[in-house]
Amino acid sequence: MAPVEWFDDLTVGMRFRSPEVKVTEADIKRFAAEFDPQPMHLDDEAAKKTLFKGLAASGWHTAAIAMNLAVQIRPFGPHPLIGMGVDGLRWIIPVRADDVLHLEGEVMSLTPSKTKRQGIALVKWTLFNQNGEEVYTFTPIAIVPRGP
């Protein structure tokens, strides 16, 4: 695949894949303690009594992991990932301690601006666990600069 530097380098159907990351129990509890302090994210015994039936990462932790992986992929080359919102955000199954996650993306649509040197790219991102199961999806409405 040719390197992406500008909006015009993207094509519908283009795909991206991240490296893998392992989620630890300590990661889950550290994130939850600061940002989502609920029993299913902090306490093994209490988590067993929830609909998760055990310790699970916060959905916002899962989203943060996916964002980190998307940044590592650099789908828009040297340009930052800047969005106007997000569509299709779904937590599908819980992320557990020792899950190994990776992110895949596919360019779904590209809309050049009529008034600015930029375009809107919709990339559907899917986070998978080590079993190939989808755990999370989101489609940011990304602003990507056009070339000079």
Side-chain angles (χ1 to χ4, degrees):
M1 175 170 67
V4 172
E5 187 172 359
W6 304 103
F7 175 83
D8 301 300
D9 298 326
L10 296 165
T11 58
V12 172
M14 185 178 278
R15 294 181 169 273
F16 308 97
R17 184 184 169 112
S18 77
E20 294 180 339
V21 64
K22 184 174 184 175
V23 180
T24 68
E25 181 176 336
D27 294 334
I28 291 171
K29 291 180 177 180
R30 180 180 31 78
F31 184 95
E34 187 168 356
F35 299 108
D36 193 355
Q38 298 187 75
M40 65 276 206
H41 309 315
L42 289 170
D43 182 280
D44 298 308
E45 287 306 310
K48 290 176 186 173
K49 298 174 185 154
T50 69
L51 71 101
F52 294 106
K53 306 286 188 234
L55 193 72
S58 164
W60 297 113
H61 186 186
T62 302
I65 291 168
M67 182 64 191
N68 179 285
L69 292 172
V71 169
Q72 289 182 46
I73 291 170
R74 302 189 60 80
F76 308 139
H79 307 290
L81 304 181
I82 298 174
M84 297 173 24
V86 65
D87 292 333
L89 188 145
R90 300 288 183 271
W91 291 284
I92 301 161
I93 62 172
V95 170
R96 308 285 186 174
D98 298 325
D99 275 357
V100 177
L101 306 175
H102 78 274
L103 186 68
E104 296 182 19
E106 180 180 358
V107 177
M108 304 304 288
S109 73
L110 298 165
T111 308
S113 172
K114 293 179 173 131
T115 59
K116 299 178 183 169
R117 297 284 311 149
Q118 65 188 35
I120 300 297
L122 297 182
V123 178
K124 181 181 180 189
W125 295 103
T126 304
L127 191 65
F128 294 92
N129 67 17
Q130 68 280 358
N131 300 318
E133 298 168 309
E134 293 183 3
V135 299
Y136 174 71
T137 63
F138 66 112
T139 304
I141 304 162
I143 302 168
V144 185
R146 298 188 79 181

